[in-house]
Amino acid sequence: MDVTIPDIGDAQDVEVIEICVGPGDAVAENDALIVIESDKASMEVPAPFTGTVDAVLVTLGDLVNAGDPILRMDAVEDEQSAEAVVPPDAADGSIALPDTPPVVDAPSTARERIEIRVPDIGEAENVSVIEVAVAEGQQVGVDDLLVVVESEKASMEIPTPFAGTVVEVAVKEGDGVEESTLLVVLEGEVEGPRSSAAPEAEGASATTVATVPVQPVPPEESTTGTGSKVYAGPAVRRLARELGVDLVAVNGSGARGRIVKDDVKAFVKQSLGTGATPGIAPMEAVDFSRFGDIETVPLSRIRARGAANLHRSWQHVVHVTQHDDIDVTDLEAFRAALKEEAASREVKLTPLPFIVMACVHALRTHPQFNASLDPTVTSLILKRYHHIGFAVDTEDGLVVPVVRDAGSKGIYELAREIARLSDAARSKKLKPEEMQGGSFTISSLGAVGGTGFTPIVNAPEVAILGVARLDTRPVWDGSAFQPRKILPVSLSYDHRAINGAEAGRFVVELGRLLGDVRRLVL
Ligand code: CAO
């Protein structure tokens, strides 16, 4: 049997926001099948009978109307008498999705006292106020939410049809209400139409009283729009969707753990304050002094900014790290041979300028490593320049100056530029433009130590080379162990832009170049 969307009043093109079952699921009568949501309310469509879900005919985001089939169910034998279209009519189960503003008439000119009362709620029982969204003295605009009420099966927002000032809030969360219960009194310039209910004169003042009929609460058979896992009303769900908050992570402070708007806002605020990702529960503040002596040291501006940038890269980039060992025995012999010459030129020749040069060569033959993804991740922007950033460890934190046009520089020039930029970084004299425009980064911890690490890509670049400490190791040459100088490297890359095989080939190419630096002149 096809289960269809029941009568949903005037509402049209109502969105499917949750699918609670899948093919093969056994469901009992009244179990939630899907959740739909209009502008003003969300609600579950329940199973009309006990049975098994055969096929789900809608997907998330579909817009549905009364009568549209949503899924196919096999009924359990003795339940076969159930109607195919359920609930069959308004008397026993239609869902009134409020969609239109209150019907009011008779324009008004003076300041008015407007009473917002609970409208006709059919035969709904146990209707209670679950959220009071305004306070006395608060200014409200047309359609601002005033109160949310909930029956056993449906939640319902009551917005204001007029702008004005809240002069009285007559209910509080948890109050039981029924038709005509006074909820809120507003005072304001009523420019729009007014209640068709007869205005009454307010004895104590010169204002007019207008009783505003608001949208009906769905009848008792309609079901709550809160979904199966999260207890929140439609306005809260909408706010959460707009802010990208997963309500599962939010603690509800309302009655019976219901999530209210303030909970969502507090969650986002806390997430932003801690740099956490919306939707992921932020780290809680811990009073470590309970466990022993502590000292709180503020982060330097460079460290704090670096932390934010690293976190952003960590979240956006799909990191993979390719490790390899490069035999640099010949390079080290060459470097040693150049020591005196370098000294006479007043240059300190470390392995880094050779690594920079080798990287530029490898980037020329593997241009996808010298690139950035566009923010929509639909194209790769290949850069024809080779500006190589390198991480400098300073007292205030990590700084990444950039060697411009590294491919046009010889080894001594590269060595001089690296020394100049690292001195400037450590003495805080780097100019902003000397830290911009990098197309690939090298992070060398060789002087510090370690056998390997996973550097974080300096986004929007797509790759970074980590260099660990070179060491003399025994390497088997086929007949004996030979002492060889081995340089461990770790290439982290953005897997969205680069495949593993490409990364493997890039590192092998680096090995060929650093293994025999004569190749750098080819
Ligand atoms: N293995 C072994 N020794 C190495 C080496 C390596 N991979 N790389 C450099 N060395 C040696 C140098 O040859 C030099 O030796 P001598 O003093 O005997 O000549 C010594 O270590 C110090 O080198 P250096 O640090 O002065 O120069 P450099 O060109 O290697 O590096 C710079 C310059 C600025 C990159 C470095 O000083 C630095 O700050 N590194 C830290 C980077 C960092 O913090 N990265 C982590 C960031 S998180 O991704």
Side-chain angles (χ1 to χ4, degrees), residues 29-40:
E29 185 177 352
N30 281 333
D31 277 0
L33 299 176
I34 66 168
V35 183
I36 54 178
E37 186 177 79
S38 76
D39 284 355
K40 304 264 164 45

Side-chain angles (χ1 to χ4, degrees), residues 348 350-352 391-393 398 426 443-444 446-447 468-470 487:
K348 188 171 147 195
T350 68
L352 190 56
V392 180
D393 177 34
L398 202 60
R426 289 186 173 123
S443 174
S444 174
R469 185 171 189 78
L470 77 84
L487 180 73

Side-chain angles (χ1 to χ4, degrees), residues 485-502:
K485 304 255 188 196
I486 303 297
L487 180 73
V489 294
S490 309
L491 176 82
S492 288
Y493 58 93
D494 189 337
H495 208 345
R496 297 174 304 167
I498 293 161
N499 286 334
E502 294 169 327

Side-chain angles (χ1 to χ4, degrees), residues 395-409:
E395 263 180 18
D396 284 342
L398 202 60
V399 180
V400 185
V402 175
V403 178
R404 302 204 100 69
D405 293 317
S408 67
K409 295 181 165 64

Side-chain angles (χ1 to χ4, degrees), residues 119-475:
D120 178 3
I121 46 177
E123 293 169 10
E125 287 170 8
N126 301 329
V127 177
S128 56
V129 174
I130 56 169
E131 189 177 341
V132 177
V134 290
E136 282 176 20
Q138 189 176 325
Q139 296 290 326
V140 289
V142 174
D143 273 348
D144 279 0
L145 180 65
L146 298 176
V147 172
V148 184
V149 296
E150 188 179 64
S151 72
E152 275 175 357
K153 292 188 176 168
S155 61
M156 164 79 183
E157 295 176 344
I158 300 183
T160 169
F162 302 114
T165 310
V166 176
V167 291
E168 186 185 339
V169 177
V171 287
K172 59 182 185 315
E173 276 175 30
D175 280 0
V177 291
E178 56 189 23
E179 185 181 345
S180 293
T181 303
L182 180 65
L183 297 169
V184 172
V185 181
L186 299 177
E187 202 174 72
E189 299 286 334
V190 180
E191 286 174 8
R194 200 173 61 208
S195 170
S196 52
E200 299 160 22
E202 168 82 345
S205 76
T207 57
T208 309
V209 176
T211 304
V212 180
V214 295
Q215 294 88 343
V217 170
E220 63 172 326
E221 286 79 7
S222 61
T223 54
T224 177
T226 56
S228 48
K229 300 186 196 83
V230 166
Y231 191 33
V236 173
R237 284 175 180 276
R238 198 161 48 240
L239 178 69
R241 267 207 307 279
E242 280 166 15
L243 298 175
V245 172
D246 180 356
L247 286 175
V248 172
V250 180
N251 289 326
S253 65
R256 287 176 282 134
R258 184 182 175 81
I259 300 169
V260 297
K261 278 185 175 174
D262 281 348
D263 297 329
V264 177
K265 288 177 192 164
F267 181 87
V268 171
K269 214 168 170 181
Q270 199 181 0
S271 301
L272 290 175
T274 56
T277 316
I280 297 177
M283 297 297 294
E284 282 161 17
V286 177
D287 177 11
F288 297 104
S289 66
R290 288 190 295 132
F291 311 113
D293 276 355
I294 59 165
E295 182 190 350
T296 303
V297 184
L299 290 184
S300 69
R301 208 174 52 85
I302 290 177
R303 258 179 221 272
R305 274 187 59 187
N309 285 338
L310 287 167
H311 191 213
R312 196 173 59 149
S313 293
W314 179 257
Q315 288 179 321
H316 284 282
V317 173
V318 179
H319 277 90
V320 180
T321 305
Q322 172 84 15
H323 303 277
D324 208 352
D325 289 335
I326 295 177
D327 188 330
V328 291
T329 312
D330 295 345
L331 165 62
E332 281 301 277
F334 182 47
R335 199 169 66 89
L338 290 174
K339 201 165 181 178
E340 275 184 25
E341 182 183 310
S344 70
R345 290 170 177 245
E346 296 182 348
V347 183
K348 188 171 147 195
L349 213 48
T350 68
L352 190 56
F354 294 93
I355 296 169
V356 170
M357 190 177 271
C359 282
V360 172
H361 276 249
L363 291 172
R364 284 200 181 114
T365 48
H366 299 77
Q368 70 273 42
F369 288 80
N370 195 58
S372 286
L373 282 165
D374 81 315
T376 60
V377 196
T378 51
S379 52
L380 190 63
I381 301 155
L382 303 175
K383 297 159 193 171
R384 299 205 197 284
Y385 52 87
H386 298 96
H387 301 333
I388 309 298
F390 63 102
V392 180
D393 177 34
T394 77
E395 263 180 18
D396 284 342
L398 202 60
V399 180
V400 185
V402 175
V403 178
R404 302 204 100 69
D405 293 317
S408 67
K409 295 181 165 64
I411 287 292
Y412 286 127
E413 208 180 342
L414 283 174
R416 265 195 208 98
E417 186 64 348
I418 290 168
R420 182 186 75 77
L421 288 168
S422 20
D423 284 352
R426 289 186 173 123
S427 55
K428 301 182 186 144
K429 289 194 180 126
L430 270 183
K431 296 182 197 127
E433 60 268 26
E434 289 174 322
M435 291 182 279
Q436 290 166 359
S439 55
F440 181 87
T441 297
I442 298 171
S443 174
S444 174
L445 281 176
V448 179
T451 54
F453 61 105
T454 53
I456 295 178
V457 172
N458 192 13
E461 295 165 25
V462 292
I464 181 169
L465 185 76
V467 180
R469 185 171 189 78
L470 77 84
D471 205 5
T472 304
R473 294 189 205 160
V475 174

